[in-house]
């Protein structure tokens, strides 16, 4: 099959499908306008409209009230979380202060212990040297 014939055939199929689609749409529109409309399904009375309006207003009122209560609950929870956060922060600061004091006292005790160990080593060395001289 030649490429030119394939293009011509494709254009023809596209045109025919477009025309058939347009014809189908026209038939659907014509059928919709042809059917008689049920007045109970298409028209609303004032009483039904007022009933719908009052129901809608009641639902909106309930939704607004729910929204207000949720907002107040959220505000209270945020305040509670802020109090808890500041309390935790204060406790953390106190613990850090106590830990730093304990660390500094441990460093001082370690220095004193190291100094005593050095002094004890010197004294034991002297005793060992004295014992070594006396034995000779």
């Amino acid at each position: 099959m030649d490429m030119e014939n394939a293009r011509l055939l494709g254009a023809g199929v596209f045109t025919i499908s477009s025309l058939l689609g347009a014809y189908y749409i026209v038939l659907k529109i014509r059928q919709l306008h042809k059917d008689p409309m049920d007045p109970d399904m298409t028209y609303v009375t004032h009483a039904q409209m007022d009933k719908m309006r009052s129901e809608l207003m009641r639902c909106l009122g309930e939704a607004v009230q729910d929204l207000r209560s949720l907002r107040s609950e959220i505000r209270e929870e945020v305040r509670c979380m802020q109090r808890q956060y500041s309390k935790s922060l204060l406790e953390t600061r106190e613990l850090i202060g106590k830990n730093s004091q304990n660390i500094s006292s441990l460093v001082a005790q370690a220095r004193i212990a190291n100094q005593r160990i050095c002094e004890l080593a010197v004294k034991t060395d002297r005793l060992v040297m004295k014992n070594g001289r006396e034995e000779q």
Side-chain angles (χ1 to χ4, degrees), residues 15-90:
T15 304
I16 289 172
S17 65
S18 297
L19 289 174
L20 286 175
Y23 181 67
Y24 179 73
I25 290 173
V26 167
L27 286 177
K28 281 291 195 181
I29 291 172
R30 192 169 149 206
Q31 183 183 5
L32 285 174
H33 285 291
K34 191 181 199 183
D35 291 339
M37 294 192 178
D38 185 15
D40 291 337
M41 299 296 285
T42 56
Y43 300 111
V44 177
T45 63
H46 284 289
Q48 289 172 332
M49 191 65 154
D50 288 338
K51 184 178 176 184
M52 177 61 102
R53 184 179 295 123
S54 65
E55 182 68 22
L56 183 63
M57 294 306 283
R58 185 188 63 78
C59 288
L60 283 174
E62 289 176 0
V64 166
Q65 185 62 30
D66 289 344
L67 183 63
R68 286 181 182 151
S69 65
L70 285 173
R71 283 181 179 169
S72 65
E73 288 176 17
I74 289 171
R75 268 189 240 113
E76 186 60 35
E77 287 178 4
V78 165
R79 287 183 192 132
C80 182
M81 286 174 52
Q82 287 174 344
R83 283 191 300 264
Q84 184 66 29
Y85 172 73
S86 51
K87 182 180 175 185
S88 299
L89 190 61
L90 182 63

Side-chain angles (χ1 to χ4, degrees), residues 1-10:
M1 185 177 215
D2 190 20
M3 193 59 136
E4 188 64 34
N5 289 337
R7 286 185 184 168
L8 185 62
L9 182 64

